[in-house]
Amino acid sequence: MVVPNPLNAAASGLNTNFNGGSYKNGVSYDILKKLKVVDTYQELLKTRNGFGELSLREVAREAHVSHTYVKKVLDELNSGGGILDPQLNKRQYLKGPGARTLDSHDVACLIILLRQNPSRTLESYRRELLYATVTITSTSTICRFWKNGFQTAANLRKANMVPIDKLKPENIECAVEYIRAVLSLLGSKPTQVCG
C-alpha cells in the first residue's frame, strides 16, 4: 500500500496518524477502509499459523489506521452483524418542525414494539415506526413520548418495597377480623377485633 505524503495530506485538509494513514477529523472511514483492516487482520493471522499473539497495533501499522479503529472494526466483525457501511448508518430522515408528530396509530405501534422487545433502543423504535407507519420522527420525539405520554413517568424508579411480614397468617387473620368488625358496624352483630 502506498503511504500518502503527510505534506500533501495536510495541504488537502487531512491529518496524518502515527501509522502514516490520512484521515479527516469528524469524518468516518468508508467501507473500503474497514474491509482493508479486516483483510490485513486475516492476512497477519495466516502468516502466524496460529502461533503467537496478534496485536492490534501491528494490524494498525499494516493498515495505516489507529489501533482504536482496528479494535472498533474487529468488535463490529465479531458482534455477529458483519461489517456495516458507515454511509448506511447515517440518519436519513427529516427532522425539525416539518417532521410529523405521533398520532394514535403511531402510539399503538410503539406500544406493540415495546411488548415485542422491551430492551429496544430509541433508534430501533424510530426505524421500526418508519417501516410500519411511514412516520418520520426523531429519537428525541420517541424519548419524550415515553417520558411524558402517560400519566406516570417512564423513568427508572426504586421499586416499592413490601414489608416481609405483611402477608403473615396472623396479619391476614387480623385483616379478616377487622373487616368483620366494619361489617358489624354497618348492621351485623359486632365481633372481636384483633388487638
Side-chain angles (χ1 to χ4, degrees), residues 87-93 95 123 126 138-139:
Q87 294 300 319
L88 297 179
N89 288 340
K90 290 188 177 176
R91 296 179 178 175
Q92 299 173 357
Y93 59 90
K95 44 188 169 174
E123 178 62 27
R126 187 203 61 78
S138 64
T139 54

Side-chain angles (χ1 to χ4, degrees), residues 170-186 188-195:
E170 54 267 12
N171 289 346
I172 293 174
E173 290 172 14
C174 259
V176 169
E177 287 182 28
Y178 177 76
I179 292 171
R180 285 186 189 147
V182 170
L183 289 175
S184 70
L185 293 174
L186 296 175
S188 301
K189 184 176 159 185
T191 58
Q192 182 182 359
V193 178
C194 186

